Amino acid sequence: MSIQVKNICKRFGDFTALDDININFPTGELVALLGPSGCGKTSLLRIIAGLDIPDSGEVWLDGRDCSNIHVKQREVGFVFQHYALFKHMNVFENVAFGLKIKPFDIRLSNTQITKKVNELLKLVQLDWLGDRFPSQLSGGQRQRIALARALAVEPKVLLLDEPFGALDAKVRQDLRRWLRRLHDELHITSLFVTHDQQEALEVADHIVLMNNGKVIQMGSPQSLYEKPQSAFVYEFLGGTNTFEGVVDGEYIKIGPYLLPHYHETLVYGQNIKALSRPHEIDIKIFDENNKTYGIVTKIKRIHYVGGLIQLELVEELTKQIYYCETHVHSEQVAKQFAIDMLVTITPSKIHIF
């Protein structure tokens, strides 16, 4: 099913949650609504579902204006962050609920409902838990049951509001990979709300990045990460080092230091802010006899994150903090670097907005 929102506006008192939102969501793909808390992503999801009413604008589903159509007629499945399972019903009854309350003339027989529920429980890999109650399940199991219940009524659109937000990091990682595989099997147009950049980059086909009630940029995860259109997009989608200085020919002059900027259109004497990712920082042990360019810093902290080594560095004059990441083996790092050692850092890639 195609989803299109036109000129959607929503206010809560003096607060503007959504400010003239216009989006055509790709049909059959998994789309992340990403942004900081309060940016309007959940409000937009609830308006698409029909759970909230916009102050103005339209919601079109499959080429039909559904703005005034009740949530029951929108053929939308909704999965809440906190599951919203019925505590007095077991797993089987929770998944079967939507099927049993359908109008009599379109309701499946009890035998058909039983067959369908069992198929869904197998799909979410929990067919052995049919007689359990929600209180007897883990958080990850509850979320999968909530998803099975949403799929039971065969929705044409699946909407998920922070589906993994209440789970611990390991379960969240496992479930988002599982959701990606499930979507590849079903190909239902799906939107999920998240404030987790890594989750959006890892799972989604497309990302809609929002801030202050507006769409800032949308596209594939790769396009947003590699071709951000603003400093906000760049900084929101990953770790960032900021270099502020003045253009001096092919270099940026930052205090006594020079950094190559790789941009041909910059004007001499122009004040700029340049951004670079931690993994785009080249680091060398400071050599008094080999001063070319780069910023001299002191190692403040060394973090070992699995096979990734994160260095926190400080420039002594301004106390500016920089971050560097490397996949060098931890034993090599221990031999090369130490706390309070002087090193020279140079970005291999720079973004300027």
Side-chain angles (χ1 to χ4, degrees):
M1 176 185 282
S2 63
I3 306 173
Q4 185 179 15
V5 294
K6 301 179 180 180
N7 308 115
I8 293 291
C9 295
K10 181 69 177 178
R11 294 179 65 86
F12 297 96
D14 294 332
F15 175 69
T16 301
L18 296 170
D19 187 4
D20 196 26
I21 301 295
N22 291 274
I23 307 174
N24 285 313
F25 292 96
T27 302
E29 297 197 353
L30 184 57
V31 180
L33 296 176
L34 175 66
S37 297
C39 71
K41 51 192 186 294
T42 292
S43 294
L44 179 58
L45 196 77
R46 292 179 62 86
I47 286 171
I48 293 171
L51 297 172
D52 286 340
I53 300 172
D55 297 328
S56 60
E58 301 171 348
V59 175
W60 289 67
L61 302 176
D62 249 6
R64 182 174 61 141
D65 185 359
C66 294
S67 306
N68 298 312
I69 294 178
H70 193 272
V71 60
K72 290 183 180 179
Q73 277 84 50
R74 294 198 184 191
E75 297 182 278
V76 167
F78 202 100
V79 179
F80 297 89
Q81 178 178 353
H82 295 288
Y83 327 122
L85 296 176
F86 299 114
K87 297 179 181 179
H88 64 288
M89 295 182 183
N90 64 26
V91 164
F92 184 94
E93 292 166 338
N94 263 284
V95 177
F97 179 78
L99 297 170
K100 290 184 175 181
I101 64 170
K102 282 192 172 186
F104 184 78
D105 57 331
I106 60 171
R107 189 185 309 163
L108 299 175
S109 68
N110 288 337
T111 300
Q112 290 172 314
I113 289 175
T114 297
K115 180 181 178 182
K116 188 172 184 64
V117 171
N118 286 332
E119 288 174 350
L120 284 165
L121 290 177
K122 286 181 180 178
L123 183 67
V124 299
Q125 302 169 357
L126 293 175
D127 51 307
W128 51 285
L129 291 177
D131 58 350
R132 301 275 184 93
F133 286 86
S135 60
Q136 298 173 299
L137 305 179
S138 69
Q141 290 170 338
R142 290 180 203 175
Q143 193 58 282
R144 280 192 275 169
I145 295 303
L147 186 56
R149 184 178 63 180
L151 292 171
V153 295
E154 297 183 356
K156 293 185 177 178
V157 171
L158 185 62
L159 307 176
L160 306 99
D161 185 13
E162 297 269 12
F164 313 131
L167 305 172
D168 64 63
K170 180 64 170 69
V171 175
R172 189 163 65 243
Q173 184 181 64
D174 290 343
L175 269 186
R176 67 195 190 200
R177 290 173 179 170
W178 171 80
L179 175 64
R180 179 68 255 183
R181 292 194 300 270
L182 181 67
H183 180 269
D184 289 341
E185 290 181 33
L186 301 177
H187 296 291
I188 297 175
T189 302
S190 305
L191 312 182
F192 73 99
V193 163
T194 182
H195 61 268
D196 186 325
Q197 301 92 327
Q198 187 61 39
E199 189 166 277
L201 291 168
E202 183 177 331
V203 176
D205 296 308
H206 280 72
I207 295 175
V208 176
L209 181 57
M210 301 179 65
N211 192 34
N212 295 327
K214 293 181 177 292
V215 174
I216 306 302
Q217 187 175 342
M218 64 180 296
S220 68
Q222 183 179 1
S223 68
L224 263 69
Y225 190 82
E226 295 183 354
K227 298 177 181 178
Q229 295 174 0
S230 68
F232 171 80
V233 177
Y234 187 94
E235 292 174 322
F236 194 81
L237 287 179
T240 307
N241 288 299
T242 303
F243 303 96
E244 296 188 56
V246 179
V247 176
D248 186 0
E250 298 178 357
Y251 300 95
I252 303 170
K253 190 172 183 179
I254 303 173
Y257 306 116
L258 294 174
L259 293 181
H261 57 67
Y262 314 108
H263 290 257
E264 297 179 357
T265 58
L266 297 180
V267 179
Y268 184 87
Q270 179 182 356
N271 291 311
I272 62 167
K273 182 170 79 170
L275 305 174
S276 190
R277 301 283 184 206
H279 68 268
E280 294 169 339
I281 299 295
D282 294 330
I283 181 169
K284 295 180 180 179
I285 297 172
F286 175 65
D287 183 355
E288 181 71 33
N289 299 315
N290 186 21
K291 294 180 180 178
T292 52
Y293 51 77
I295 297 177
V296 178
T297 61
K298 183 181 286 186
I299 297 177
K300 186 178 180 181
R301 234 177 238 109
I302 300 175
H303 304 280
Y304 296 86
V305 187
L308 185 68
I309 309 301
Q310 298 176 336
L311 302 176
E312 185 176 319
L313 314 159
V314 61
E315 197 278 302
E316 292 289 271
L317 295 176
T318 63
K319 303 302 179 185
Q320 171 72 42
I321 300 292
Y322 299 103
Y323 298 92
C324 174
E325 292 179 350
T326 175
H327 285 278
V328 176
H329 194 276
S330 58
E331 291 181 4
Q332 291 177 286
V333 171
K335 292 177 181 178
Q336 291 180 30
F337 303 119
I339 302 298
D340 291 333
M341 176 183 285
L342 288 178
V343 293
T344 301
I345 61 170
T346 309
S348 59
K349 191 175 181 181
I350 275 182
H351 283 266
I352 297 171
F353 300 96

